[in-house]
């Protein structure tokens, strides 16, 4: 393993098993719980398949629930721990770092439009920066990379707020970290988001799943 480049790093996906009634509840209505779960599952598959194409040493999924047929080969599964999302994110970084003490780039399952090139760029930026940050259009963030994870960088950041991303970014800067910035992406939370993201990734499983929902007809 070379000490520079992306081969010594790991990609970490924080995800929920796509169970009807448990995922993407803000899409219901207009979607049925089953349709919302199908969209979540498609977004998760698109995300994992993209992650699988990025040249990294290790791929980890911090999972709430049980793995299914949607999980490609080559991922290490760790269970999510903690109550709030800030705790779960901190624990996911902690668990991945225990498996392999290398730089970590974390993403969620809500940006199926993400490209392997964008993720590879995020990983390689950790060679020159302490952190990498990808803001989301809803005020949150879709990606967070840390060369040396520390729970204090995440714990207590209010999640799912319009100011979440700003507060998280300030936390990194106040800790004295150099931060590389990535483009702003849209997380899929609402039907409007879903339509926008499907248009950005027309050949994705997500776009196909959306096209199959009765809510659009």
């Amino acid at each position: 393993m070379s000490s520079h480049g992306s081969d010594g790093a790991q990609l970490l996906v924080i995800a929920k098993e796509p169970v009807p009634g448990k995922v993407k509840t803000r899409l219901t209505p207009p979607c049925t719980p089953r349709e919302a779960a199908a969209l979540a599952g498609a977004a998760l598959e698109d995300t994992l398949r993209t992650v699988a194409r990025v040249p990294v040493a290790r791929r980890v999924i911090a999972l709430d629930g049980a793995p299914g047929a949607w999980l490609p080969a080559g991922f290490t599964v760790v269970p999510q721990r903690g109550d709030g999302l800030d705790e779960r994110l901190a624990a996911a970084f902690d668990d991945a770092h225990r498996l392999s003490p290398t730089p970590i780039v974390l993403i969620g399952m809500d940006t199926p439009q993400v490209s392997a090139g964008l993720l590879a760029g995020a990983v390689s930026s950790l060679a020159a920066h302490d952190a990498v940050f990808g803001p989301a259009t809803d005020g949150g963030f879709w990606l967070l990379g840390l060369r040396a994870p520390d729970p204090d960088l995440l714990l207590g950041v209010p999640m799912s707020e319009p100011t979440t991303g700003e507060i998280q970014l300030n936390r990194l800067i106040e800790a004295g970290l150099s931060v590389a910035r990535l483009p702003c992406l849209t997380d899929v939370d609402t039907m409007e988001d879903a339509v926008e993201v499907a248009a950005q990734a027309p050949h994705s499983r997500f776009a196909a799943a959306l096209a199959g929902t009765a809510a659009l007809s």
Side-chain angles (χ1 to χ4, degrees):
M1 293 286 176
S2 65
S3 59
H4 61 279
S6 58
D7 47 6
Q10 50 188 325
L11 271 165
L12 170 61
V13 181
I14 188 153
K16 258 187 193 173
E17 180 188 358
V19 177
K22 297 263 183 84
V23 289
K24 292 285 149 237
T25 50
R26 285 175 63 188
L27 296 177
T28 55
C31 292
T32 65
R34 189 175 290 275
E35 285 174 336
L39 283 171
L44 179 54
E45 276 199 61
D46 285 331
T47 302
L48 294 174
R49 284 166 185 270
T50 299
V51 166
R53 301 207 318 271
V54 183
V56 284
R58 184 186 283 274
R59 297 171 188 87
V60 181
I61 179 168
L63 185 62
D64 178 2
W70 43 263
L71 184 65
F75 280 77
T76 302
V77 180
V78 297
Q80 283 186 28
R81 298 187 289 117
D83 293 326
L85 184 56
D86 61 328
E87 289 183 20
R88 286 167 178 257
L89 292 175
F93 270 110
D94 197 43
D95 291 341
H97 204 249
R98 252 205 312 274
L99 289 169
S100 173
T102 54
I104 298 165
V105 170
L106 174 138
I107 62 168
M109 57 185 275
D110 298 335
T111 49
Q113 75 275 38
V114 72
S115 68
L118 198 52
L119 291 179
V123 171
S124 60
S125 70
L126 285 178
H129 296 84
D130 302 313
V132 56
F133 183 80
T137 49
D138 64 1
F141 57 93
W142 67 271
L143 178 145
L144 179 62
L146 296 170
R147 197 190 296 175
D150 176 351
D152 288 343
L153 293 171
L154 284 146
L155 292 176
V157 172
M159 295 290 166
S160 306
E161 302 283 341
T163 51
T164 295
E166 189 186 350
I167 293 169
Q168 180 62 71
L169 182 58
N170 285 340
R171 183 77 71 92
L172 303 176
I173 293 166
E174 282 161 15
L177 304 185
S178 60
V179 185
R181 315 285 175 95
L182 289 180
C184 193
L185 293 190
T186 296
D187 279 333
V188 175
D189 287 315
T190 65
M191 204 61 183
E192 195 181 4
D193 299 334
V195 171
E196 180 191 328
V197 166
Q200 289 170 2
H203 304 298
S204 61
R205 281 170 172 71
F206 182 79
L210 185 65
T213 61
L216 279 184
S217 56

